[in-house]
Protein backbone atom coordinates (compact mmCIF):
# COMPACT_ATOMS: atom_id res chain seq x y z
CA UNK A 1 0.00 0.00 0.00
CA UNK A 2 1.48 3.28 -1.03
CA UNK A 3 1.76 6.13 1.40
CA UNK A 4 1.66 9.80 0.73
CA UNK A 5 5.03 11.48 0.76
CA UNK A 6 5.87 13.13 4.01
CA UNK A 7 5.73 16.88 3.88
CA UNK A 8 9.07 18.60 4.26
CA UNK A 9 9.72 19.89 7.72
CA UNK A 10 9.51 23.67 8.00
CA UNK A 11 12.76 25.51 8.50
CA UNK A 12 13.82 25.54 12.12
CA UNK A 13 13.75 28.81 13.97
CA UNK A 14 17.35 28.14 14.92
CA UNK A 15 18.40 28.96 11.35
CA UNK A 16 18.22 32.58 12.37
CA UNK A 17 21.20 31.89 14.58
CA UNK A 18 23.39 30.52 11.79
CA UNK A 19 26.81 32.10 11.34
CA UNK A 20 25.60 34.12 8.33
CA UNK A 21 23.04 35.86 10.55
CA UNK A 22 25.39 36.71 13.42
CA UNK A 23 26.46 40.28 13.89
CA UNK A 24 29.87 41.28 12.53
CA UNK A 25 32.54 40.72 15.21
CA UNK A 26 33.75 44.32 14.99
CA UNK A 27 30.22 45.57 15.65
CA UNK A 28 29.87 43.25 18.65
CA UNK A 29 33.27 44.34 19.95
CA UNK A 30 32.28 47.99 19.68
CA UNK A 31 28.92 47.42 21.37
CA UNK A 32 30.49 45.50 24.26
CA UNK A 33 33.17 48.18 24.58
CA UNK A 34 30.44 50.83 24.84
CA UNK A 35 28.68 48.71 27.47
CA UNK A 36 31.91 48.55 29.47
CA UNK A 37 32.33 52.31 29.25
CA UNK A 38 28.77 52.85 30.46
CA UNK A 39 29.29 50.43 33.35
CA UNK A 40 32.52 52.16 34.36
CA UNK A 41 30.93 55.61 34.35
CA UNK A 42 27.99 54.32 36.39
CA UNK A 43 30.39 52.74 38.88
CA UNK A 44 32.12 56.05 39.52
CA UNK A 45 28.86 57.96 39.98
CA UNK A 46 26.89 55.48 42.13
CA UNK A 47 27.65 54.04 45.56
CA UNK A 48 26.09 52.70 48.73
CA UNK A 49 24.79 56.17 49.59
CA UNK A 50 23.02 58.61 47.34
CA UNK A 51 25.37 61.26 46.06
CA UNK A 52 24.89 64.39 44.03
CA UNK A 53 25.89 63.50 40.47
CA UNK A 54 26.89 67.10 39.88
CA UNK A 55 29.27 66.95 42.84
CA UNK A 56 30.89 63.83 41.40
CA UNK A 57 31.26 65.56 38.06
CA UNK A 58 32.95 68.50 39.75
CA UNK A 59 35.49 66.13 41.32
CA UNK A 60 36.21 64.51 37.96
CA UNK A 61 36.87 67.98 36.55
CA UNK A 62 39.42 68.66 39.30
CA UNK A 63 37.33 70.49 41.87
CA UNK A 64 34.67 69.51 44.39
CA UNK A 65 34.55 69.07 48.14
CA UNK A 66 37.13 67.08 50.06
CA UNK A 67 34.64 64.42 51.17
CA UNK A 68 33.45 63.84 47.63
CA UNK A 69 37.02 63.66 46.37
CA UNK A 70 37.67 60.87 48.86
CA UNK A 71 34.53 59.04 47.71
CA UNK A 72 35.53 59.23 44.06
CA UNK A 73 39.11 58.28 44.93
CA UNK A 74 37.75 55.06 46.43
CA UNK A 75 35.42 54.28 43.52
CA UNK A 76 37.96 54.69 40.73
CA UNK A 77 40.40 51.92 41.79
CA UNK A 78 37.41 49.72 42.64
CA UNK A 79 36.10 50.17 39.10
CA UNK A 80 39.48 49.52 37.49
CA UNK A 81 40.14 46.44 39.62
CA UNK A 82 36.62 45.16 38.91
CA UNK A 83 37.24 45.46 35.19
CA UNK A 84 40.55 43.60 35.49
CA UNK A 85 39.06 40.80 37.61
CA UNK A 86 36.02 40.36 35.37
CA UNK A 87 38.13 40.30 32.23
CA UNK A 88 40.55 37.79 33.77
CA UNK A 89 37.78 35.42 34.87
CA UNK A 90 36.08 35.55 31.48
CA UNK A 91 39.30 34.91 29.58
CA UNK A 92 40.25 32.10 31.96
CA UNK A 93 36.90 30.39 31.45
CA UNK A 94 37.23 30.79 27.69
CA UNK A 95 40.65 29.14 27.69
CA UNK A 96 39.55 26.27 29.92
CA UNK A 97 36.44 25.55 27.86
CA UNK A 98 38.46 25.75 24.66
CA UNK A 99 41.33 23.51 25.73
CA UNK A 100 39.16 20.89 27.45
CA UNK A 101 36.25 21.14 24.99
CA UNK A 102 34.07 21.03 28.09
CA UNK A 103 31.08 23.43 28.08
CA UNK A 104 31.03 23.32 31.88
CA UNK A 105 34.66 24.38 32.18
CA UNK A 106 35.34 27.31 34.50
CA UNK A 107 38.31 28.63 36.52
CA UNK A 108 37.65 26.34 39.47
CA UNK A 109 37.92 23.22 37.33
CA UNK A 110 41.67 22.90 37.88
CA UNK A 111 41.69 23.72 41.59
CA UNK A 112 42.44 27.44 41.29
CA UNK A 113 39.65 28.59 43.61
CA UNK A 114 40.12 25.88 46.20
CA UNK A 115 43.89 26.39 46.27
CA UNK A 116 43.56 30.11 46.86
CA UNK A 117 40.92 29.59 49.55
CA UNK A 118 42.97 26.93 51.33
CA UNK A 119 45.99 29.24 51.39
CA UNK A 120 43.95 32.10 52.86
CA UNK A 121 42.46 29.83 55.53
CA UNK A 122 45.86 28.43 56.48
CA UNK A 123 47.45 31.86 56.72
CA UNK A 124 44.56 33.15 58.82
CA UNK A 125 44.85 30.20 61.22
CA UNK A 126 48.62 30.62 61.62
CA UNK A 127 49.14 34.37 61.36
CA UNK A 128 45.77 35.97 62.05
CA UNK A 129 43.52 37.90 59.70
CA UNK A 130 45.62 39.18 56.77
CA UNK A 131 45.26 42.63 55.27
CA UNK A 132 43.81 43.03 51.79
CA UNK A 133 47.29 43.49 50.30
CA UNK A 134 48.63 40.44 52.13
CA UNK A 135 45.69 38.32 50.99
CA UNK A 136 46.79 38.75 47.38
CA UNK A 137 50.27 37.43 48.10
CA UNK A 138 48.80 34.53 50.07
CA UNK A 139 46.06 33.48 47.65
CA UNK A 140 48.06 33.78 44.42
CA UNK A 141 50.78 31.22 45.24
CA UNK A 142 48.16 28.95 46.82
CA UNK A 143 46.16 28.89 43.60
CA UNK A 144 49.24 28.29 41.46
CA UNK A 145 50.48 25.50 43.73
CA UNK A 146 47.11 23.73 43.59
CA UNK A 147 47.12 23.77 39.79
CA UNK A 148 50.68 22.45 39.68
CA UNK A 149 49.63 19.51 41.86
CA UNK A 150 46.56 18.90 39.71
CA UNK A 151 48.63 19.02 36.53
CA UNK A 152 51.29 16.64 37.86
CA UNK A 153 48.72 14.13 39.09
CA UNK A 154 46.49 14.37 36.05
CA UNK A 155 49.07 14.11 33.25
CA UNK A 156 50.33 10.51 33.19
CA UNK A 157 52.97 9.89 30.55
CA UNK A 158 51.05 7.15 28.71
CA UNK A 159 48.04 9.23 27.64
CA UNK A 160 47.17 12.60 26.16
CA UNK A 161 43.57 12.50 27.38
CA UNK A 162 42.34 15.42 29.48
CA UNK A 163 40.00 13.22 31.52
CA UNK A 164 42.65 12.42 34.17
CA UNK A 165 43.45 16.13 34.47
CA UNK A 166 39.79 17.06 35.03
CA UNK A 167 39.29 14.23 37.50
CA UNK A 168 42.45 15.23 39.33
CA UNK A 169 41.15 18.78 39.58
CA UNK A 170 37.87 17.53 41.04
CA UNK A 171 39.68 15.35 43.59
CA UNK A 172 42.13 18.04 44.71
CA UNK A 173 39.31 20.59 44.97
CA UNK A 174 37.22 18.19 47.08
CA UNK A 175 40.16 17.51 49.41
CA UNK A 176 40.98 21.19 49.80
CA UNK A 177 37.36 22.16 50.43
CA UNK A 178 37.11 19.45 53.07
CA UNK A 179 40.22 20.91 54.71
CA UNK A 180 38.68 24.40 54.53
CA UNK A 181 35.44 23.23 56.11
CA UNK A 182 37.34 21.49 58.90
CA UNK A 183 39.33 24.65 59.63
CA UNK A 184 36.42 27.07 59.68
CA UNK A 185 34.25 24.76 61.78
CA UNK A 186 36.92 24.28 64.44
CA UNK A 187 38.29 27.83 64.39
CA UNK A 188 35.60 30.52 64.74
CA UNK A 189 38.20 33.25 64.22
CA UNK A 190 39.14 31.73 60.87
CA UNK A 191 35.48 31.49 59.89
CA UNK A 192 34.83 35.16 60.72
CA UNK A 193 37.68 36.24 58.46
CA UNK A 194 37.12 33.72 55.68
CA UNK A 195 33.37 34.19 55.21
CA UNK A 196 33.80 37.73 53.88
CA UNK A 197 36.48 36.71 51.39
CA UNK A 198 34.82 33.45 50.25
CA UNK A 199 31.88 35.01 48.42
CA UNK A 200 33.93 37.53 46.47
CA UNK A 201 33.99 41.30 46.93
CA UNK A 202 35.65 44.42 45.56
CA UNK A 203 35.28 46.37 48.80
CA UNK A 204 38.52 48.01 49.82
CA UNK A 205 40.01 47.74 46.35
CA UNK A 206 43.16 49.72 45.68
CA UNK A 207 45.67 50.29 42.93
CA UNK A 208 48.18 48.46 45.11
CA UNK A 209 46.15 45.28 44.76
CA UNK A 210 46.01 45.78 41.00
CA UNK A 211 49.76 46.31 40.87
CA UNK A 212 50.32 43.08 42.81
CA UNK A 213 48.36 40.96 40.31
CA UNK A 214 49.35 42.92 37.19
CA UNK A 215 52.28 40.65 36.16
CA UNK A 216 50.09 37.54 36.29
CA UNK A 217 47.30 39.33 34.40
CA UNK A 218 49.56 40.59 31.63
CA UNK A 219 51.29 37.24 31.15
CA UNK A 220 47.95 35.44 31.19
CA UNK A 221 46.45 37.71 28.53
CA UNK A 222 49.55 37.37 26.34
CA UNK A 223 49.38 33.57 26.57
CA UNK A 224 45.66 33.67 25.79
CA UNK A 225 46.26 35.77 22.69
CA UNK A 226 49.08 33.46 21.59
CA UNK A 227 47.02 30.24 21.86
CA UNK A 228 43.72 31.60 20.51
CA UNK A 229 44.41 30.63 16.86
CA UNK A 230 45.52 27.15 17.95
CA UNK A 231 42.32 26.62 19.92
CA UNK A 232 40.41 26.93 16.64
CA UNK A 233 42.26 23.95 15.19
CA UNK A 234 42.11 22.06 18.49
CA UNK A 235 38.31 22.28 18.31
CA UNK A 236 38.52 20.00 15.24
CA UNK A 237 40.05 17.21 17.34
CA UNK A 238 43.55 16.26 18.40
CA UNK A 239 44.28 14.19 15.29
CA UNK A 240 43.21 16.92 12.88
CA UNK A 241 45.06 19.58 14.86
CA UNK A 242 48.23 17.48 14.85
CA UNK A 243 47.89 16.86 11.11
CA UNK A 244 47.62 20.61 10.57
CA UNK A 245 50.90 21.11 12.39
CA UNK A 246 49.58 22.29 15.77
CA UNK A 247 51.78 21.23 18.71
CA UNK A 248 48.85 19.99 20.79
CA UNK A 249 50.68 19.23 24.09
CA UNK A 250 52.47 22.60 24.03
CA UNK A 251 49.25 24.40 23.12
CA UNK A 252 47.37 22.80 25.98
CA UNK A 253 50.12 23.52 28.49
CA UNK A 254 50.26 27.18 27.44
CA UNK A 255 46.47 27.55 27.56
CA UNK A 256 46.25 25.94 30.99
CA UNK A 257 49.08 28.15 32.27
CA UNK A 258 47.37 31.26 30.91
CA UNK A 259 44.01 30.27 32.40
CA UNK A 260 45.66 29.53 35.74
CA UNK A 261 47.47 32.87 35.93
CA UNK A 262 44.31 34.81 35.05
CA UNK A 263 42.04 32.95 37.44
CA UNK A 264 44.59 32.94 40.26
CA UNK A 265 45.16 36.68 39.96
CA UNK A 266 41.42 37.41 39.91
CA UNK A 267 40.71 35.13 42.86
CA UNK A 268 43.58 36.56 44.87
CA UNK A 269 42.37 40.12 44.31
CA UNK A 270 38.64 39.73 44.90
CA UNK A 271 37.95 36.24 46.23
CA UNK A 272 36.26 33.35 44.41
CA UNK A 273 33.65 35.15 42.29
CA UNK A 274 31.36 32.61 40.65
CA UNK A 275 29.69 32.35 37.26
CA UNK A 276 31.64 34.94 35.25
CA UNK A 277 34.13 32.39 33.92
CA UNK A 278 31.34 29.94 33.08
CA UNK A 279 28.68 32.22 31.59
CA UNK A 280 30.66 34.79 29.60
CA UNK A 281 32.32 32.36 27.13
CA UNK A 282 28.92 30.87 26.30
CA UNK A 283 27.39 34.30 25.75
CA UNK A 284 30.30 35.33 23.55
CA UNK A 285 30.03 32.20 21.38
CA UNK A 286 26.34 32.86 20.97
CA UNK A 287 27.08 36.37 19.69
CA UNK A 288 30.03 35.88 17.35
CA UNK A 289 30.56 32.14 16.82
CA UNK A 290 33.48 29.84 17.46
CA UNK A 291 36.53 31.85 16.34
CA UNK A 292 38.67 32.21 19.46
CA UNK A 293 40.59 35.08 17.89
CA UNK A 294 37.43 37.19 18.18
CA UNK A 295 36.06 35.46 21.27
CA UNK A 296 39.00 36.55 23.41
CA UNK A 297 38.70 40.36 23.07
CA UNK A 298 34.91 40.24 23.32
CA UNK A 299 35.13 38.02 26.42
CA UNK A 300 37.62 40.39 28.04
CA UNK A 301 35.33 43.38 27.56
CA UNK A 302 32.10 41.55 28.41
CA UNK A 303 33.58 39.99 31.55
CA UNK A 304 34.78 43.40 32.72
CA UNK A 305 31.38 44.99 32.03
CA UNK A 306 29.51 42.17 33.77
CA UNK A 307 31.57 42.39 36.94
CA UNK A 308 31.49 46.18 37.14
CA UNK A 309 27.73 46.16 36.57
CA UNK A 310 27.31 43.50 39.24
CA UNK A 311 29.38 45.57 41.67
CA UNK A 312 27.23 48.63 41.02
CA UNK A 313 24.11 46.61 41.80
CA UNK A 314 25.78 45.21 44.91
CA UNK A 315 26.24 48.77 46.15
CA UNK A 316 22.80 50.20 45.36
CA UNK A 317 20.31 47.34 45.70
CA UNK A 318 20.44 47.19 49.51
CA UNK A 319 21.39 50.76 50.43
CA UNK A 320 22.94 51.74 52.77
CA UNK A 321 24.24 48.17 53.11
CA UNK A 322 26.37 46.46 50.47
CA UNK A 323 26.02 42.96 49.07
CA UNK A 324 28.93 40.79 47.99
CA UNK A 325 29.53 41.07 44.26
CA UNK A 326 29.78 37.27 43.97
CA UNK A 327 26.12 37.02 44.95
CA UNK A 328 25.10 39.47 42.24
CA UNK A 329 27.13 37.77 39.49
CA UNK A 330 25.23 34.54 40.13
CA UNK A 331 21.86 36.31 39.97
CA UNK A 332 22.84 38.18 36.80
CA UNK A 333 24.76 35.43 35.02
CA UNK A 334 22.33 32.58 35.61
CA UNK A 335 19.31 34.11 33.78
CA UNK A 336 21.43 35.17 30.79
CA UNK A 337 22.99 31.71 30.52
CA UNK A 338 19.62 29.97 30.90
CA UNK A 339 18.15 32.22 28.22
CA UNK A 340 21.02 31.35 25.91
CA UNK A 341 20.45 27.64 26.59
CA UNK A 342 16.75 27.97 25.82
CA UNK A 343 17.49 29.76 22.55
CA UNK A 344 20.00 27.11 21.56
CA UNK A 345 23.00 29.41 21.37
CA UNK A 346 24.88 27.49 24.06
CA UNK A 347 26.49 24.39 22.65
CA UNK A 348 29.16 22.05 23.85
Amino acid sequence: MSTAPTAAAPPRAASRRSPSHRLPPLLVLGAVGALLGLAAITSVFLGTRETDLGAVWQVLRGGGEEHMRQVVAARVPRTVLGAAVGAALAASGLLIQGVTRNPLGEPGLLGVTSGAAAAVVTATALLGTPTSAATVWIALPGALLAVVVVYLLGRPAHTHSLVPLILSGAVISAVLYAYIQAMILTRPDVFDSYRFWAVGSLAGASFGTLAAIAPALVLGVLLAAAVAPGLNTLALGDDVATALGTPVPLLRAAAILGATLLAAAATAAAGPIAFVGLAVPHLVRGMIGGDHRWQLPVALLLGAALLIGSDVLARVVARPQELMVGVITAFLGAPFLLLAVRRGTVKG
Side-chain angles (χ1 to χ4, degrees), residues 199-257:
V199 180
S201 175
L202 294 172
S206 67
F207 285 121
T209 301
L210 182 62
I213 64 172
L217 289 177
V218 172
L219 182 55
V221 171
L222 290 177
L223 285 171
V227 303
L231 291 179
N232 289 339
T233 57
L234 189 63
L236 302 175
D238 289 6
D239 293 338
V240 175
T242 301
L244 293 175
T246 301
V248 174
L250 180 61
L251 175 69
R252 279 183 173 152
I256 290 173
L257 177 59

Side-chain angles (χ1 to χ4, degrees), residues 51-329:
T51 53
D52 184 2
L53 301 184
V56 176
W57 176 246
Q58 289 295 327
V59 172
L60 295 177
R61 293 180 60 185
E65 301 177 353
E66 176 63 24
H67 169 70
M68 190 55 61
R69 286 201 295 269
Q70 293 177 358
V71 170
V72 174
R75 291 178 184 173
V76 170
R78 181 169 182 159
T79 301
V80 176
L81 183 65
V85 169
L89 290 173
S92 179
L94 180 70
L95 290 176
I96 291 175
Q97 290 180 17
V99 76
T100 63
R101 298 196 292 273
N102 179 3
L104 297 179
E106 50 91 26
L109 187 68
L110 301 179
V112 174
T113 303
S114 58
V120 171
V121 165
T122 302
T124 302
L126 296 177
L127 305 174
T129 303
T131 63
S132 298
T135 300
V136 174
W137 295 108
I138 294 167
L140 186 58
L144 294 175
L145 179 60
V147 175
V148 169
V149 174
V150 168
Y151 191 81
L152 293 176
L153 294 178
R155 296 298 297 169
H158 61 276
T159 179
H160 295 293
S161 173
L162 286 173
V163 174
L165 184 67
I166 296 173
L167 292 177
S168 178
V171 170
I172 295 300
S173 294
V175 171
L176 290 177
Y177 277 124
Y179 163 75
I180 292 168
Q181 292 299 316
M183 290 295 293
I184 64 177
L185 289 175
T186 57
R187 295 284 301 272
D189 56 326
V190 174
F191 173 74
D192 289 339
S193 174
Y194 173 73
R195 65 192 177 99
F196 292 104
W197 182 84
V199 180
S201 175
L202 294 172
S206 67
F207 285 121
T209 301
L210 182 62
I213 64 172
L217 289 177
V218 172
L219 182 55
V221 171
L222 290 177
L223 285 171
V227 303
L231 291 179
N232 289 339
T233 57
L234 189 63
L236 302 175
D238 289 6
D239 293 338
V240 175
T242 301
L244 293 175
T246 301
V248 174
L250 180 61
L251 175 69
R252 279 183 173 152
I256 290 173
L257 177 59
T260 299
L261 290 171
L262 291 168
T267 304
I273 296 175
F275 227 93
V276 176
L278 174 63
V280 170
H282 286 295
L283 298 176
V284 170
R285 279 192 292 272
M287 289 189 290
I288 63 172
D291 190 344
H292 287 83
R293 294 171 299 180
W294 283 106
Q295 284 184 22
L296 179 61
V298 175
L300 288 169
L301 296 179
L302 184 58
L306 175 61
L307 193 59
I308 292 177
S310 298
D311 188 48
V312 172
L313 284 179
R315 283 181 263 164
V316 303
V317 73
R319 282 175 171 173
Q321 304 299 319
E322 178 179 333
L323 297 178
M324 297 295 188
V325 69
V327 175
I328 303 297
T329 57

